[in-house]
Amino acid sequence: MNTVLKTAILPAGEAAVAAAAHALARGGLVAFPTETVYGLGADATNAAAIARLYQAKGRPAFNPLIAHVGDLDAARRIGRFDASALLLAEAFWPGPLTLVLPKAADCAVAELATAGLDTVAIRIPAHAIARDILRAFGRPVVAPSANLSGHVSPTIAAHVHSDLEGRIDLIVDGGAVAVGVESTIIGIFDQPMLLRPGGLPRADIERVLGRTLQEPPEDTESDSGQPLAPGMLASHYAPRTKVRLNVDRIEPGEALLAFGLGAISGIDEAAAVMNLSARGDLDEAAANLFGFLRALDTRAARAIAVMPIPNDGLGEAINDRLRRAAVGRE
Ligand code: TXA
Ligand code: MG
């Protein structure tokens, strides 16, 4: 399992799609762009391929994976949709939404990918290359974000390369992703529950459902003792540099992650300054977030000091990721 692989990089296009489908069919690991972040794909029905995927990412195998499919028919072969699941699927797929559903009776997704849960996470991505690969391959593809476990998710192919070179077979380079934070995860339990804020704003989902989403319980343990959202480990999405949130002044030697044009004291002594969105646009900020965290992480700053970011729209996902980046480092 520790064999060093030669990681090929191909520009998005027909040849890359064919190579990706071929590699997946052989049990290989293929990174490809989705509209949220780059994913690291493996054949969802092949336990050996999934074991290699956990190994390549250094990801604990109790943290289950999202099965990506090309259309609703394929989704309905692996998960059981109730009325609210169908409503959300029809409103938002393809797109940055993942639904956690009871497994269908003949669900082909390997047990290892669902970490032994009786639910399965499903998403139809909106990116053209991701959809071409899913169509060419013809089976569900599990795809976590294509980063080393615990690290910041990749938004360009170079991020994937720097984390996973020599550990995976192929990277399909489709340029920068559009959304920049991972999909919103909704658990379809008794009531729809927001398991992870993400690229689809909560308000859009609540509008379609006609009610507010449930919040996960504090300890995120279900009755069976299984974590409801096992990946929501407190420290996650973390740069190596310490992260300090909601700052109104920066200390000498800190790097500033700014938002909007608000005033901040100490800026002249900053080690570096990057602005997520000078015009205060949360969509633009989400698209820049992970790339800027990676860039500031290379500046040997004392800390990354982050200005306050409003919590509406994609702000909820941005603040969630920043809180996780700050855990244990404040
Ligand atoms: O945008 C995205 O969702 C990206 C792209 C590549 O599609 N994928 C992604 O995957 O973010 P990953 O593995 O980094 O995050 C998946 C999350 C984890 O927190 C995992 O615990 C949760 O989904 N998850 C998967 N299956 C689950 C299940 N059956 N019940 C609860 N949570 C589940
Ligand atoms: Mg991830």
Side-chain angles (χ1 to χ4, degrees), residues 167-296:
R167 293 168 168 260
I168 66 177
D169 298 279
L170 173 63
I171 300 172
V172 179
D173 184 352
V177 302
V179 177
V181 291
E182 302 84 350
S183 61
T184 301
I185 305 183
I186 301 294
I188 304 293
F189 307 130
D190 293 340
Q191 304 280 318
M193 183 184 283
L194 180 65
L195 295 176
R196 175 176 76 180
L200 181 65
R202 165 206 292 273
D204 295 11
I205 299 170
E206 293 182 336
R207 192 175 317 117
V208 164
L209 289 174
R211 63 169 166 219
T212 56
L213 289 164
Q214 300 274 109
E215 300 301 317
E218 280 292 298
D219 60 3
T220 69
E221 299 270 318
S222 69
D223 295 344
S224 63
Q226 292 274 18
L228 284 175
M232 303 314 286
L233 307 174
S235 175
H236 202 54
Y237 308 99
R240 286 168 202 89
T241 313
K242 154 178 158 165
V243 174
R244 208 162 66 79
L245 301 180
N246 296 318
V247 302
D248 54 10
R249 70 159 288 120
I250 45 176
E251 308 296 334
E254 287 187 332
L256 175 66
L257 187 60
F259 178 81
L261 290 172
I264 182 140
S265 60
I267 194 164
D268 295 337
E269 296 183 82
V273 179
M274 295 185 92
N275 198 326
L276 288 170
S277 173
R279 59 190 157 94
D281 179 320
L282 290 163
D283 293 357
E284 181 182 36
N288 286 330
L289 178 67
F290 290 143
F292 285 12
L293 282 175
R294 279 183 187 252
L296 292 178

Side-chain angles (χ1 to χ4, degrees), residues 37 57 59 63 144-147 150-151 153 182 196 236-237:
V37 299
K57 275 187 60 101
R59 177 174 174 125
N63 187 2
S145 50
N147 50 278
H151 200 195
S153 292
E182 302 84 350
R196 175 176 76 180
H236 202 54
Y237 308 99

